[in-house]
């Protein structure tokens, strides 16, 4: 039996939409909203993502260990 890969952390300031969807579990519309928001306001800490309109922050909370902002 293979254990598989460990979950990788992604940087929400640079990650492409496909990673935001597959690693964090965002909907396509949420990934688009995050990308549009980060172009104007890069994330400095994960709690900054509470300010992204159209993003369910509960998904961010659930994936907190796989997310970085820098």
């Amino acid at each position: 039996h293979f254990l598989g890969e460990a979950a990788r952390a992604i940087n929400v300031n640079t990650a492409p939409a496909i990673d935001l969807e597959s690693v964090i579990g965002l909907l396509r519309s949420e990934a688009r909203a995050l990308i549009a928001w980060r172009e104007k306001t890069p994330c400095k800490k994960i709690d900054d993502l509470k300010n992204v309109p159209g993003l369910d922050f509960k998904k961010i909370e659930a994936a907190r260990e796989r997310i970085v902002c820098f």
Side-chain angles (χ1 to χ4, degrees):
H1 297 343
F2 294 102
L3 298 176
E5 282 186 38
R8 60 188 169 103
I10 63 167
N11 184 335
V12 294
N13 287 322
T14 60
I18 191 73
D19 285 349
L20 296 172
E21 295 167 24
S22 63
V23 176
I24 301 175
L26 299 182
L27 298 174
R28 189 166 291 156
S29 61
E30 292 173 316
R32 278 195 304 262
L34 175 55
I35 290 170
W37 179 83
R38 76 183 185 198
E39 289 175 358
K40 298 174 187 166
T41 313
C43 173
K44 293 185 174 105
K45 59 186 188 300
I46 292 175
D47 285 339
D48 291 346
L49 300 176
K50 290 179 181 176
N51 299 320
V52 179
L55 178 64
D56 181 0
F57 190 73
K58 291 177 189 173
K59 292 179 183 178
I60 300 299
E61 283 289 324
R64 188 177 278 270
E65 70 278 355
R66 293 177 299 208
I67 299 172
V68 295
C69 295
F70 50 79

